[in-house]
Amino acid sequence: MALKSLLNLRKRNSSDDDTTKERYTTQSPTRPASSEQTLHGEERVPNDEQIKRATRVRRFFAYSASFGYLVSWVFLILILVGNTSDKPVLRNTYFYKLNLADIIPASVPNAQLINSIAQSIGLHDFYQVGLWNFCEGYQSQGITFCSKPETLYWFNPVEVIMNELLAGATIAIPAAIITILSVLRITSQIMFGFFLTACVLNFVLIFVSPILPVKSRWWSLPLSIFSFASMILTLAASIIGTVISFAFKYAAEAQSDLNIHAQVGLSMFVFMWIATGFTIWSFAVHSGMGCCCASKRDLKSGRRLIRPDGRIIHAG
């Protein structure tokens, strides 16, 4: 009897253990589900609407960078097409303008007659220089001719003026202009290449800037590199264009014996530095987005968490 009672007791205990195991195995796991959705009140797997709200600031800066490239590209286009023809805006967009209308000072006897003779043998009143070519004309008529656009163009005043004078006619060119011709050629060609390359880069960045940085902060690194290259090219080209314009003006007016005037193109000057300013802004935005503002990848991977109040915090 004692053996039978002992066997019944062991059977009853084994039945209780099986019941307990079944109860724990069939119970739904609350901790994993909770950890998948929230962690201390923060969203683990945000939905699309939450991600859209959380990346609003990043999208704003991405679109502002794209807008900066768009504005810069428009003004770079104006720089590239400036002075290529006698049309509104284009005719006033030049780096510098050489005025020879009164090359003989009024103090010289018969100065007006001599200036008229200079015009009759082929000398024009003014010559203005753009990125691709030069234009010439008379004060009473305006622009009468624009040269054919050339790649890596540079303005050689000695060659242009001598080619337009009648056979055997010569004119004294200020020595200061002649000494800077070699520097003018090199810097003009560098400026040409920089402006053209920056225009292409900015055009591409217009379309990729509002898309890639929002997806992941890692995209900000390559975009920052291209943005930095665009900024350096635009800035360097604008500096070169400004220096060339003012240096040519100084050299042209350095000879007191000749009444030569030169002026810097205001429109071109403004276009260059507006393009430069917006490119610098876009580069600054791309650099900042490399470490600031949550991206879609940050939220989906859990690196950044969204609290119920909408604030974003680092995971961990």
Side-chain angles (χ1 to χ4, degrees), residues 10 31 76 228 244 255 257 277 285 302 309:
R10 293 186 62 181
R31 181 62 180 176
L76 286 172
F228 178 75
I244 286 178
Q255 285 288 336
D257 297 338
V285 171
D309 58 4

Side-chain angles (χ1 to χ4, degrees), residues 131-146:
L131 195 66
W132 296 81
N133 63 337
F134 77 93
C135 293
E136 61 188 11
Y138 301 99
Q139 291 182 344
S140 59
Q141 303 178 31
I143 294 176
T144 58
F145 171 76
C146 288

Side-chain angles (χ1 to χ4, degrees), residues 128-168:
Q128 58 187 47
V129 182
L131 195 66
W132 296 81
N133 63 337
F134 77 93
C135 293
E136 61 188 11
Y138 301 99
Q139 291 182 344
S140 59
Q141 303 178 31
I143 294 176
T144 58
F145 171 76
C146 288
S147 64
K148 183 180 179 181
E150 299 178 17
T151 305
L152 299 177
Y153 174 78
W154 72 286
F155 179 67
N156 186 341
V158 176
E159 180 181 356
V160 170
I161 294 175
M162 292 303 180
N163 287 341
E164 294 195 342
L165 295 177
L166 295 179

